[in-house]
Amino acid sequence: MAWLNFLDLRSLPVKEAEAVVLPIPYEATTTYGAGTREGPEAILAASRQVELWDEEHGWDPSAAIRLATAAPILPEVSGPQAMLEKIKRVVQPWVQQGKFIAALGGEHTITAALLQVLQTRYPDMTVVCLDAHADLRESYDGSKLSHACVMRRVYELGRPLTLLGVRSYSKEEADLMWVAPRFKLFKAKDLHTPEGWQAALDHLQAIPGPVYLSLDLDALDPGIMPAVGTPEPGGLSYRQVLTIMETLTRRGPVIGLDLVELAPIPGHRVSEFTAAQLLYKALGYIFHSRQK
Amino acid sequence: MAWLNFLDLRSLPVKEAEAVVLPIPYEATTTYGAGTREGPEAILAASRQVELWDEEHGWDPSAAIRLATAAPILPEVSGPQAMLEKIKRVVQPWVQQGKFIAALGGEHTITAALLQVLQTRYPDMTVVCLDAHADLRESYDGSKLSHACVMRRVYELGRPLTLLGVRSYSKEEADLMWVAPRFKLFKAKDLHTPEGWQAALDHLQAIPGPVYLSLDLDALDPGIMPAVGTPEPGGLSYRQVLTIMETLTRRGPVIGLDLVELAPIPGHRVSEFTAAQLLYKALGYIFHSRQK
Amino acid sequence: MAWLNFLDLRSLPVKEAEAVVLPIPYEATTTYGAGTREGPEAILAASRQVELWDEEHGWDPSAAIRLATAAPILPEVSGPQAMLEKIKRVVQPWVQQGKFIAALGGEHTITAALLQVLQTRYPDMTVVCLDAHADLRESYDGSKLSHACVMRRVYELGRPLTLLGVRSYSKEEADLMWVAPRFKLFKAKDLHTPEGWQAALDHLQAIPGPVYLSLDLDALDPGIMPAVGTPEPGGLSYRQVLTIMETLTRRGPVIGLDLVELAPIPGHRVSEFTAAQLLYKALGYIFHSRQK
Amino acid sequence: MAWLNFLDLRSLPVKEAEAVVLPIPYEATTTYGAGTREGPEAILAASRQVELWDEEHGWDPSAAIRLATAAPILPEVSGPQAMLEKIKRVVQPWVQQGKFIAALGGEHTITAALLQVLQTRYPDMTVVCLDAHADLRESYDGSKLSHACVMRRVYELGRPLTLLGVRSYSKEEADLMWVAPRFKLFKAKDLHTPEGWQAALDHLQAIPGPVYLSLDLDALDPGIMPAVGTPEPGGLSYRQVLTIMETLTRRGPVIGLDLVELAPIPGHRVSEFTAAQLLYKALGYIFHSRQK
Amino acid sequence: MAWLNFLDLRSLPVKEAEAVVLPIPYEATTTYGAGTREGPEAILAASRQVELWDEEHGWDPSAAIRLATAAPILPEVSGPQAMLEKIKRVVQPWVQQGKFIAALGGEHTITAALLQVLQTRYPDMTVVCLDAHADLRESYDGSKLSHACVMRRVYELGRPLTLLGVRSYSKEEADLMWVAPRFKLFKAKDLHTPEGWQAALDHLQAIPGPVYLSLDLDALDPGIMPAVGTPEPGGLSYRQVLTIMETLTRRGPVIGLDLVELAPIPGHRVSEFTAAQLLYKALGYIFHSRQK
Amino acid sequence: MAWLNFLDLRSLPVKEAEAVVLPIPYEATTTYGAGTREGPEAILAASRQVELWDEEHGWDPSAAIRLATAAPILPEVSGPQAMLEKIKRVVQPWVQQGKFIAALGGEHTITAALLQVLQTRYPDMTVVCLDAHADLRESYDGSKLSHACVMRRVYELGRPLTLLGVRSYSKEEADLMWVAPRFKLFKAKDLHTPEGWQAALDHLQAIPGPVYLSLDLDALDPGIMPAVGTPEPGGLSYRQVLTIMETLTRRGPVIGLDLVELAPIPGHRVSEFTAAQLLYKALGYIFHSRQK
């Protein structure tokens, strides 16, 4: 079996890598806007055009990080429970070996599995999620493991959870967010004001301990990221997302990462280019800060 | 909630109908070629352009058949088992009342649920399936309820099964087909020869008792039906599919029908037009023969 | 006949509604960039993904407003005059009953018919129009009822007219705008400066009496609203349009609304999502202010 | 003003030409499947790739025929009546001078205008039309000049009318066709049988006097001509259309021609290539037979 | 560097392979219809959905043939001469070792390089080419190494050349074909008659010695293979191409193969599926006949 | 031969023009993201919708400038060297006659040829280039005349070079930029800060003598200019590009211009509209300043 490599690098075996790009082309609980199963390959293909030199920090992260692209985790179609178990089986040994995992969805549901494993190693972690939607429903379309419930499942792990960029949620979710401890919301609308934006950065800066970053690409404005299942106008700019990532990495360790929900639009490649660039930027920030 | 009606007719309540068009936008076990969840709506939208007058038989089937378009069965995402149960719950009473059901997928998996219910009323039925693939695998991607296994599940109901138009299958499936009783295969290649074609029509003509027709749209040649998940060259012509449908209806009662696996290509509407036309033709043939 | 409902709500009969979403898939005088006839259905389809809870004001407008989606007004193709008459016949009784009408184009020409009717009830109304083009030509392509003349026809009703977001007009239109009484222009370029933006908001705030809002979607920047017939770079942001709508509703009654000129791009759904969201936001602002 | 030339030839002035390709990008009475206004330019652009040498007859029609591409007739949007008058004004002098006109639509309605003018010069002409639809409605969407009525208007000119390739019509149209004198129908279904095909060719061969050929591109099978407003499966093959054209030209003079109803699909250029090729083939057959 | 494997097999190193699929994403001399550079990857991606079991001969060619997918030959952009030299450098050792090469273009020009190398090993070879165009120009757009000249360059190697499926050529090419020794033409039009088709098969059957097969995908009808730079209506059917390939392999050794000129249409995958299937069928026929 | 005119004006012969829009649909050294060869025609087609009246300066540049659209320079496919020579042959006389040339690519490589000719007349010129990439590689894909090397070749002419909007370059390019005299870089990231932006404008304002402006459209943000070969997020806004153009023209003579690298996305026309608008704005600014 063959698959594309992130950045089209000479492939390192996973066991020799310190960072693993892990494609998870899973899409089974979304009922609208099909296509996230094709997200990982589109991002890997676009990544071949990403310039390796990082013009911001003046280094080549791809040469400095021992990076591997793992074999895609192929979907288990008997239901989301089986799929999440499969993901956990794959990533468990890597997490135990201290590898950094950057997962590429597929639908957002996969984050729940990744965090269940990471929590065993980083019990003091905080979860930071960029998303247009709250994803805090108790259940959706007959399952508690729907993509629309993923942050509810993550929240139930008992760790602090910060959502940024949200601009769409139900009353049920609003009621929960209003009272939930360990929970912090920065709505997209507020991030577009200088004060709201500063408040968010201050909050992120102050997060102690390890942080996991889940990036649902619909957090970005659909003008620059149209290829998502449910585009919501009024989203974050590319520069804002970079700044959030930089702020988190300057603050302390980022111990895992996912980019999810890209559903490629045939013939319109901007979204996957931007996603590939975001992934490389994130890895660059994270490992640059580790080296200091 | 509102949805489109087949043929854009004045909507009849399901309970007053003798034939029910049932949209089932379910897509969860396919791991390639996303989009069948958008198939039913695309077919219903295209059906608004279908001419109601049937130029072949010189009548207006839409006026003669008491026809309703049911509310779509919304996906259950906890796994295919739950979804199939949901479908069965919906169709059971209609089957008991003797209504004719024309289901619009969505993925092929739904056929298994429909047939489980129909068998309770028509224990002597024969299943005729047009498909580019055999769909006879025991299990696929971790589930026995994958779309790639649907005809295996159907076969296990213990009824005669005829496949037409097949041009892609595995060794496992070949081995099964070689020895299976109650099973008949007409490969696409053979249907393109005059003798093979005649043999198939003769076989169909001779089927006794009630027949269920499952039409996976990838049975048609991808030149005229490009919007399917896995197009296979060398498929059936539009005229061939009409002739098969006509032959079955002239022979005896057709007691159920599905059209599945349309995955619309945005901007290229030929496939959904053809599917809508096929559905109307099928209903016309079936009810025309009933009236005689 | 069946059609999609705005927000996929349980359909209320028009006669019981206080607000009516009225699809008018009319497109006959545009000679470039075909497709606005498919705009209303695309917006209604996208509206099914709009979250009902309004996170800005913390309420559910869809539950609070008695809302209906009317049957589309099907095109009359003998010429724009006949079509405008048809529109007037449809909306006249609703306006007399005090219903709020939110029309979905289709081409901009329809606004002229709506305003002719509304003026009979609101003789003191002011018209506010967001548009990339002035649409003030006397005649175009052989007709005074072309979409390129609609604001000229509206202006001739004798009411104050304010245009915002304009960045494209002819010398003829420039000459008119320079001297026209009751007329106010805020060019897109000026709205991108803090002073120009404030001046526009001040002007809107000060408008007395009832206001009608006509939103040609090409007023928005084509980066976020690409699906329009003649995209013009340098347009308004989503946030700007929301702010304009909010300002108008805080000020006094908004008595009618249209969203026009969406020409969907197959496979690229951002535009219709944004349009659906804008319509819901507008209804929310308008009815929220009414309740206070 | 500039426009593309058919075949990208060195442009001959219309007054020096014996054959005039006339683009008429008119689209105003169609209410579904927008885009025929972009048909003429797409065909002209594709024609630049057509090989000038005619491999069937071993000559170069483009060198032998004095050919011009006229300026497009820009749409008149006040209604179809005004547009038809405009077309008549343009073509009248050319017809009087005996020029051959090959019109490129745009919607089918334009044929009515062309034939009204041609009849003045060729009172004994017969009209042959290839179309998936009968277009024989008395009135449609409020106008007698809708594209769905064009053959009814043509029939009313009092000349013999032959329709080929039809596979979609209403009861009203069926009733008319059943009894109409001077009228002959060859349904698509029949053209797919050897006997039906031969009967059609025999009929065409026997038509006396001048013939006008109207080619609605939806007569072709949508597998090879997908870019039409309302694709109907089961259409004519490319070879069949060529044979019909050849048969007509071998028989006697063809005195006018139109290709209508191409609505280009962005990114999928097969339809316009085929249309351009058909136009060149038709001109080649017609002028080759004249030279003999 | 990573690339996709044909059929997604466990990758064999090229040195252990007997057959090498060689992607050559070269596109530099085409001046219309961009995109053949993306052809090889599209075919490889589609090949992952090809069923490995060959239902015609009842075997699994992928298990029987020692097959490798080589690294793509990256374009040399200083001009076609340098690119052809590069291709020759890559394939020379493989040809010397007797490996079978199946090249995936990219533009047709690459065939010239492949044949220059193959001729050194197979001086008695015959070249069979399926193409809509003759590609026999002496020079085009300022180069003798344009894709439009490739068969002229091939003919100059001094070996017999048979073209099938041609339906577009210039007078210059017609003149050459009329008199050229060692040259045989079967026009598409003739292949659509029973006699012409039989004559072609008879001719192919009688070719002595080794045969090279060059398959320009535009030889197929654009209804089933729309994704080519210059689609020409009236092409070969899928079944015809299979029969030609089978006939050649039953006759004697086929010693090389290329599939060229696929220019993928985003979102419309039929063409690459068909191309992938054709490649697998060809390899199956060739190696099946070798084993006998 | 016929081609579209910029703005669809009455065509002026080149010899009578003071400004020449020159389409150069050349694309041969790009190995990714095909389609720039279709850029010029797409821009010319879109330009027909550009309003002639310039609402910023209140004049009609199209009436004031003697403007011609030249015949496209057709590609020479024997290699980039031959193509650049061809371009030089075409433009040399026009430059000698003092005509202003606005070239439309095609790939960026063409700029090198244009500047070699312009330097003979304007030996004191400065080159200002907007680009997402530095294009400063010594050689790429085997050629020193690749699009990725064009600014290196330009720099070697010995004139000052300013790059703006860059956000992607290699270490080799970074090393060069660090030490190069006559070279100035304004990275995109810096242009997004008020200070960086002001510094850039100050620098541009202070450039003495004639300036040539090369606009690689990927300098703009892909949100508003998606149709480029390698989109890079974080680019310039439309307003920024206008301001840069205005600043340069207020400062002193701009003596040449190119817009390159548009690769149209079928069905998504925003990019070509924006490019056409940018070209008209640039010509307006340049000739407006000349008139003062």
Side-chain angles (χ1 to χ4, degrees), chain A residues 32 168-169 187 189 232, chain C residues 49 51 53 55-56 269:
Chain A
Y32 187 85
S168 176
Y169 46 82
K187 302 208 285 188
K189 189 183 175 181
E232 303 279 351
Chain C
Q49 304 306 313
E51 182 64 60
W53 185 252
E55 50 109 14
E56 284 191 274
R269 310 186 190 190

Side-chain angles (χ1 to χ4, degrees), chain B residues 229-271:
Chain B
T230 311
E232 303 279 351
L236 304 186
S237 72
Y238 176 68
R239 180 54 43 201
Q240 282 184 305
V241 175
L242 290 189
T243 304
I244 289 170
M245 298 195 312
E246 237 189 331
T247 303
L248 286 173
T249 53
R250 268 203 313 261
R251 175 211 55 85
V254 172
I255 48 88
L257 175 73
D258 62 62
L259 266 84
V260 296
E261 296 285 346
L262 182 84
I265 299 173
H268 189 288
R269 309 183 190 192
V270 170
S271 302

